[in-house]
Amino acid sequence: MAKKILTVDDDPDIIAFVKTVLEENGYAPIIARNGEAGLAMVRQEKPALVILDVLMPKQSGIRMYREMRYDEELKNIPVVVLSGIAKRTFLRSQEALTEFGDQPVPEPDAYIEKPVEPEELAEVIKKFVS
Amino acid sequence: MMKTNEMKKMLFVTQFEELWFDALESLMDLRKAGFNHVVFLHIIERDKVAMRRGKGYLKDEEVRLREMANVRFIDWAENLFEQGMEVGAYIVVGNVLPKIISTAKEEGVDLIVTGRHRRPKLEELYAGSETLELLRRTSTPVLIHKYMLPSGKINEKPFERPLLALDWSDASENAVKYLLGFAGVIKKVVAIHVASEKLFKSDSSMEIQAIRKDNRQKLDAVCDRFRDVGIDAESHLYVGATCEQIEKAAQEREATMIVGGTTGSKPLKEIFLGSTARKLAERSSFPTLLIPATAKSEES
């Protein structure tokens, strides 16, 4: 059975692009359009990997990532951040939240700044989902 | 599992003509009042991409406008994320007012920040009847943020010294309650009441003095409530045309913004919502915070 990969992004063009890449590589794509819906879906579906945008309505990828890493059941699911937001910003944001008293979280498994080529995305996914 | 702290959200509406990042930065002091989530909203007005004879829907133009907005929002968001803020963004096609209302509702925001347009058409959309319409249709406080004239610069701390205009209605009581939640942000509230000249036409000076005394006592009682939560306050009584006197008071008391309550439902019956709110929104050189009577407050 094809492994489920969750894409969390509010941009319909990116969703269509990632969905195509996933299907062409034999995965089963599932979609959420913001961090809040993404977290609910990751809890429900337990995907093999999450491809996560950062700047989204309702809840950002930064918060969703944090909540995943705090959750015993979800913390080992690999996360590939795919975003226009720079990696430096993502990491500084996590540092700032830690300074405000939250527990530190590890870096995401991979970070790709948009845009991404289909081959590059497929290659990164393969690293984590055999 | 980690529990996310309750967030206070601000909806920052910009068409990239009336409000820029410096306007947003000026509101970062609100973090002291618990605001830690900013939601950007840019509305691509429908007529910019609408069907044109021989061209159809201007999809390319929509993509271009979306990407321009996206580039700006990413830059702004990076700045806020790095400060530990939570940030969201909407770039939508549609009509301004319904999109502001639907986004505010969807996100459950605690404050809507919008601008005042200088161009006649957009001015009509934002600061004219559309502003009043927005207030009637939302229970969320609305800040009409402005670049101060004549400097053209944004006030760096608009909440530092607000002028609170009181007419003793339920709406202005709600404005008091709302501002009480900003301890740590507001340094001093300037509370004023504008008495109508008509009240001073009595033959009896005793009667006039009684009116003055009554209003002063009410103002002092409001100031005491602010002092109780650690916000300094001063009170002043003005006489004359409401809107002109509020503007004058804001200037001579060096206020950083004007605050008032609005009823939302019966605009003509309330002093602040009718012509006063509209005039202040349209014409005042000060940022104007209008608080619907139904708004959530710290005391309620």
Side-chain angles (χ1 to χ4, degrees), chain A residues 64-112:
Chain A
M64 180 184 158
Y65 177 74
R66 236 177 151 73
E67 297 220 14
M68 277 184 70
R69 288 297 177 252
Y70 283 128
D71 191 315
E72 284 298 321
E73 285 189 27
L74 312 179
K75 70 179 186 184
N76 294 321
I77 296 175
V79 174
V80 175
V81 177
L82 175 61
S83 176
I85 298 287
K87 182 180 180 183
R88 179 199 68 238
T89 297
F90 186 95
L91 298 179
R92 279 191 191 164
S93 169
Q94 299 293 2
E95 283 169 15
L97 290 170
T98 302
E99 280 169 21
F100 292 151
D102 289 351
Q103 286 174 17
V105 291
E107 286 190 22
D109 300 274
Y111 202 107
I112 305 170

Side-chain angles (χ1 to χ4, degrees), chain B:
Chain B
M1 193 177 78
M2 173 215 173
K3 224 177 167 188
T4 309
N5 293 330
E6 191 192 344
M7 296 200 180
K8 277 198 177 176
K9 281 191 198 180
M10 173 197 309
L11 180 65
F12 189 83
V13 186
T14 178
Q15 302 301 86
F16 304 114
E17 289 164 348
E18 76 296 13
L19 290 182
W20 287 89
F21 188 69
D22 53 354
L24 178 61
E25 264 192 318
S26 75
L27 302 173
M28 286 303 102
D29 225 21
L30 295 183
R31 292 179 73 177
K32 293 175 193 161
F35 280 84
N36 56 3
H37 191 161
V38 177
V39 180
F40 300 135
L41 171 62
H42 174 68
I43 302 152
I44 299 168
E45 289 168 76
R46 200 172 287 285
D47 62 0
K48 287 186 179 166
V49 292
M51 302 282 263
R52 303 271 163 81
R53 184 175 293 191
K55 287 186 177 175
Y57 184 77
L58 304 178
K59 184 67 185 170
D60 290 352
E61 181 64 2
E62 184 197 321
V63 170
R64 190 182 72 84
L65 293 171
R66 269 186 192 280
E67 287 310 313
M68 277 169 56
N70 198 34
V71 167
R72 286 162 172 160
F73 279 165
I74 284 175
D75 188 55
W76 295 8
E78 286 185 336
N79 195 306
L80 299 185
F81 275 135
E82 289 185 16
Q83 296 176 47
M85 298 280 288
E86 171 70 328
V87 191
Y90 289 78
I91 302 167
V92 296
V93 177
N95 296 320
V96 173
L97 183 60
K99 289 295 180 190
I100 294 175
I101 291 166
S102 62
T103 309
K105 194 174 173 186
E106 192 171 335
E107 287 280 344
V109 299
D110 303 286
L111 177 67
I112 297 170
V113 181
T114 183
R116 178 179 61 166
H117 291 263
R118 290 287 172 191
R119 292 197 323 207
K121 189 179 172 188
L122 291 174
E123 189 164 3
E124 184 189 4
L125 274 173
Y126 263 95
S129 60
E130 290 285 331
T131 301
L132 293 183
E133 189 61 26
L134 177 59
L135 289 163
R136 285 186 201 118
R137 291 171 59 181
T138 181
S139 59
T140 306
V142 177
L143 171 63
I144 297 130
H145 209 354
K146 295 164 189 171
Y147 287 81
M148 304 285 281
L149 297 173
S151 69
K153 288 182 181 170
I154 207 84
N155 187 310
E156 287 177 9
K157 292 189 174 178
F159 278 79
E160 191 169 83
R161 193 181 165 90
L163 180 133
L164 173 59
L166 297 158
D167 65 358
W168 314 129
S169 65
D170 290 346
S172 63
E173 169 59 20
N174 210 41
V176 172
K177 288 178 180 172
Y178 186 77
L179 286 193
L180 285 169
F182 287 79
V185 181
I186 297 173
K187 279 193 178 166
K188 183 181 252 185
V189 167
V190 180
I192 71 155
H193 173 71
V194 181
S196 166
E197 282 183 39
K198 288 177 193 166
L199 294 172
F200 290 78
K201 282 182 181 166
S202 168
D203 290 340
S204 162
S205 64
M206 290 289 280
E207 203 174 308
I208 292 172
Q209 288 303 319
I211 293 168
R212 187 195 68 81
K213 188 177 176 183
D214 178 51
N215 281 304
R216 284 310 301 250
Q217 283 176 341
K218 287 179 181 166
L219 283 168
D220 287 344
V222 168
C223 288
D224 286 343
R225 289 166 69 190
F226 281 108
R227 290 186 196 108
D228 285 347
V229 297
I231 298 172
D232 195 8
E234 65 180 46
S235 62
H236 301 279
L237 184 59
Y238 284 75
V239 182
T242 309
C243 195
E244 286 75 10
Q245 291 299 310
I246 291 171
E247 184 75 8
K248 186 179 172 61
Q251 284 168 357
E252 64 187 20
R253 305 295 167 189
E254 296 181 329
T256 50
M257 72 189 304
I258 293 170
V259 185
T262 68
T263 64
S265 56
K266 295 176 182 171
L268 298 176
K269 292 187 179 175
E270 283 292 340
I271 194 165
F272 221 96
L273 183 57
S275 58
T276 304
R278 180 172 181 165
K279 278 184 195 168
L280 289 172
E282 286 177 354
R283 299 179 199 166
S284 172
S285 56
F286 291 85
T288 310
L289 175 61
L290 299 171
I291 299 157
T294 51
K296 288 183 285 180
S297 63
E298 292 297 308
E299 283 190 351
S300 59

